[in-house]
Amino acid sequence: MTFTYTVTAADWGRIAPELVLAIMALVVMIADILLPQRGKSAKESAPTNFVVLPVLSLVGLAGAFVATFVLFAAGDHQAAFNQMVSSDYGSLYAYVIILSASFLGILLSPAYLKRLVLVHQGEYYALLLLATVGMMLLAAAASFLIVFLGLEMFSLALYILCGYVVRRKSSQEAGMKYFLLSSFASAFLLYGIAFTYAATGSTTFVGIRSFLARTLPVASPLNQPGLHSPKLLLIAMGLLSVGFAFKVSAIPFQAWVPDVYDGAPAPVTAFMSVATKAAALIAFARVFDVVFQPTRGDWMAVVWAITILTIVGGNILALVQGSVKRMLAYSSIAHAGYLLIGVVVGGTVGISAILFYLLCYTFMNLGAFGIVSMLERVDNSGSNYSEIRGLWYRQPGLAGLLSVFMLALAGFPPMAGFAAKYYLFYAALQGGHPELLIIGVLASVLGMYYYLRVIATMFMEQEVVAADATTVAPVTNNRRVSARLEGTGSRASRRGTTAVAVKPSATAVTSPAKTAVAVTNEGQWVSLNWMSWAAIWIAAAGTFAFGTVLAFWAVQWAQLAAQMMFR
């Protein structure tokens, strides 16, 4: 048996977005070497580095966007490299989602890196770009070999990015947990691929579909309930479902999510909470709903059970969290459950609902995590409920925008969350699963509590100030305001302090040392804060646009993409 295949220019053109990003990742690393360095130990980058490197990364992402739209308008939409990487509308839709998440994540990074004095910027941006390439390959995979290649490519980059804040124990713990647990998930996925090849004799999706069409032409529980897949294929589908369920953070494979999301740098958490989920879910849907469609009766019950567990469990666990960041982590689990409804429904309706939901979720979730990144401090504090009390009185802009994203995630109109959930639940009803519609609606009502709790904490509760029990500030406006002492911090649990609820006042006594530190820190990052604000406003604009004027266009494009995936 001989095998001959010649790579053509058309093959390279079909993966142009990935090529652009891979080249720009190399350019970023070279630029990091050439740019000037300054500091006592030559580790602190010059001020220009905090702008040049992210700008180069954004230029690479802009080039990938252009290549994606060129492929959409003028591409042949054929699979590249001997049926290994697809370039259909489904892949291009996924590219837009993943590139948008990466674009916003990079915009959020410069101010965060400078505020935390994270000096190895070249590696940071190069790893983000390479992770984006891996996610795009996973979403566009037309072969299990590319599935594993894309999965490992972005996972290796994220292992390092999660533990990027080396002086923070929670960040190191996040990187280690993600590495260990993700390695187990990758092993399950790899064994599943091996069993799939043993059962079908192929690793390409086209070859597997052709095999199943020949051997199981009418494998359906409706017309032939006694007909089942070969045992090897059943084992393969079970192992693959475990691997994909881990990557989409579905219950019972979600244990890594809260600690990893909480410990990782906030911009990295924002990026991976959307892009990882998008790439894995699109690959999940492509494998099970398209490739394994003839064996649907064998795997659907398992995915149906995982979907219900994830929806209910994610919402319940989010109720009891004491931090906005951890609440959003469990919220992302609940949203993964909603997205799995599309996998259960299957067909053009189910996959188009997944694509549209992911596009809407990108902007509202990245916006919420973007606010968290602006609030996060060096010691990973700043997002607890006790720390955002009265945020409206201190930073009304952040509080107002965070409220918008909370309402969008809860599903209030006219924002993108409402349109996404409406179309997904409509798909469940149209696909013959009214039970998933009922469970999804009830869980969404439950989820409104913890989203609205954030808004109530910022607007309706007053700031808690730690004050020494023996020291009291002068009375102003008939209100006794406790003074903050140097070194007491914000925790009222320290010895000799009491928690006093007050509104911020210009007369409150603040430690001169703390004031000096605050001014210094503000001066270090305020010049780059415009990038973070740009990301937040872009996310807010997308949240409203895809809930109103762009909703119908995005749904039609998603339907066209889903139809082409079944071609």
Side-chain angles (χ1 to χ4, degrees):
M1 178 179 176
T2 60
F3 174 79
T4 304
Y5 177 73
T6 303
V7 177
T8 64
D11 288 322
W12 295 110
R14 291 165 189 153
I15 63 165
E18 290 95 328
L19 284 179
V20 171
L21 284 185
I23 291 171
M24 286 307 299
L26 297 177
V27 171
V28 167
M29 287 189 285
I30 294 172
D32 185 50
I33 297 173
L34 299 179
L35 286 172
Q37 303 286 325
R38 75 174 187 179
K40 296 180 180 179
S41 59
K43 290 183 179 180
E44 295 184 10
S45 299
T48 54
N49 297 14
F50 286 98
V51 176
V52 174
L53 294 175
V55 167
L56 284 175
S57 304
L58 293 174
V59 168
L61 290 169
F65 267 116
V66 171
T68 299
F69 289 117
V70 169
L71 286 177
F72 176 76
D76 58 9
H77 310 300
Q78 301 297 317
F81 300 103
N82 196 30
Q83 304 296 325
M84 300 283 278
V85 183
S86 62
S87 63
D88 54 26
Y89 286 167
S91 301
L92 300 180
Y93 203 106
Y95 290 174
V96 171
I97 296 169
I98 296 168
L99 290 172
S100 298
S102 183
F103 191 92
L104 295 177
I106 287 176
L107 275 178
L108 291 169
S109 297
Y112 185 90
L113 294 178
K114 195 166 187 180
R115 190 164 74 251
L116 271 66
V117 199
L118 298 177
V119 294
H120 299 289
Q121 300 171 63
E123 300 95 315
Y124 178 89
Y125 292 110
L127 287 169
L128 268 178
L129 293 180
L130 292 174
T132 305
V133 173
M135 293 169 183
M136 294 168 69
L137 285 175
L138 176 59
S143 167
F144 276 116
L145 297 180
I146 301 299
V147 167
F148 190 73
L149 177 65
L151 187 73
E152 289 305 298
M153 186 174 182
F154 81 74
S155 295
L156 288 171
L158 290 179
Y159 298 154
I160 303 171
L161 289 172
C162 287
Y164 207 76
V165 188
V166 293
R167 62 182 179 274
R168 184 193 295 170
K169 290 184 180 179
S170 60
S171 181
Q172 296 295 296
E173 180 184 354
M176 184 58 66
K177 282 186 176 180
Y178 190 54
F179 168 69
L180 293 176
L181 296 177
S182 184
S183 298
F184 280 107
S186 298
F188 277 100
L189 193 70
L190 190 58
Y191 274 115
I193 293 171
F195 276 104
T196 302
Y197 177 75
T200 63
S202 178
T203 57
T204 64
F205 293 170
V206 171
I208 295 169
R209 288 179 65 185
S210 177
F211 173 84
L212 294 177
R214 293 194 309 269
T215 57
L216 300 173
V218 288
S220 170
L222 297 178
N223 50 27
Q224 292 194 20
L227 185 59
H228 294 287
S229 306
K231 292 182 179 179
L232 280 178
L233 192 57
L234 288 173
I235 297 172
M237 290 188 292
L239 293 170
L240 289 171
S241 64
V242 171
F244 282 122
F246 177 90
K247 288 301 178 183
V248 303
S249 62
I251 293 178
F253 310 104
Q254 88 300 342
W256 61 278
V257 174
D259 291 334
V260 172
Y261 280 23
D262 187 46
V268 174
T269 303
F271 166 68
M272 68 183 295
S273 69
V274 172
T276 302
K277 193 177 271 74
L281 262 164
I282 292 170
F284 197 165
R286 195 188 291 271
V287 169
F288 280 82
D289 284 328
V290 179
V291 179
F292 290 149
Q293 194 275 335
T295 65
R296 184 176 180 80
D298 293 318
W299 57 260
M300 191 181 70
V302 175
V303 178
W304 181 88
I306 291 175
T307 300
I308 294 177
L309 283 175
T310 306
I311 294 173
V312 176
N315 280 288
I316 291 175
L317 291 171
L319 291 173
V320 297
Q321 301 307 310
S323 163
V324 177
K325 199 175 182 182
R326 291 185 71 89
M327 181 275 289
L328 288 173
Y330 282 105
S331 165
S332 73
I333 296 173
H335 285 279
Y338 298 139
L339 286 160
L340 286 174
I341 292 176
V343 179
V344 174
V345 172
T348 302
V349 174
I351 293 181
S352 61
I354 291 173
L355 293 173
F356 178 63
Y357 196 104
L358 283 170
L359 184 60
C360 297
Y361 183 71
T362 298
F363 293 97
M364 53 190 183
N365 201 58
L366 261 161
F369 273 112
I371 300 292
V372 171
S373 74
M374 297 179 74
L375 295 173
E376 188 171 295
R377 305 188 189 113
V378 177
D379 61 352
N380 203 28
S381 63
S383 63
N384 291 334
Y385 286 107
S386 60
E387 293 166 318
I388 65 168
R389 283 182 182 142
L391 184 64
W392 168 253
Y393 302 102
R394 305 191 304 274
Q395 301 184 55
L398 288 180
L401 287 168
L402 183 56
S403 301
V404 168
F405 296 125
M406 291 295 106
L407 293 173
L409 288 168
F412 284 88
M415 287 166 281
F418 175 78
K421 287 185 177 179
Y422 175 84
Y423 186 49
L424 189 66
F425 294 157
Y426 171 76
L429 185 61
Q430 190 175 5
H433 291 278
E435 75 284 357
L436 294 180
L437 165 65
I438 296 170
I439 293 172
V441 170
L442 293 176
S444 296
V445 173
L446 179 64
M448 289 180 184
Y449 169 78
Y450 53 80
Y451 290 126
L452 295 178
R453 178 188 174 193
V454 176
I455 299 174
T457 302
M458 293 187 297
F459 285 80
M460 302 174 66
E461 296 184 18
Q462 297 175 343
E463 182 183 14
V464 173
V465 180
D468 192 279
T470 61
T471 307
V472 180
V475 177
T476 306
N477 295 330
N478 296 322
R479 181 173 296 165
R480 187 176 298 275
V481 182
S482 298
R484 296 187 187 185
L485 295 183
E486 179 179 357
T488 58
S490 62
R491 298 181 181 176
S493 59
R494 298 188 180 184
R495 178 178 296 179
T497 65
T498 57
V500 183
V502 297
K503 281 186 180 181
S505 172
T507 60
V509 180
T510 307
S511 166
K514 282 191 172 184
T515 303
V517 172
V519 171
T520 302
N521 290 338
E522 182 75 12
Q524 288 178 344
W525 68 281
V526 70
S527 60
L528 298 175
N529 208 24
W530 67 268
M531 290 190 178
S532 299
W533 278 108
I536 298 301
W537 282 111
I538 291 172
T543 298
F544 281 102
F546 286 106
T548 53
V549 294
L550 297 181
F552 297 103
W553 169 80
V555 168
Q556 290 177 354
W557 187 20
Q559 292 172 342
L560 185 61
Q563 291 172 2
M564 189 171 285
M565 289 171 69
F566 282 93
R567 188 180 60 182

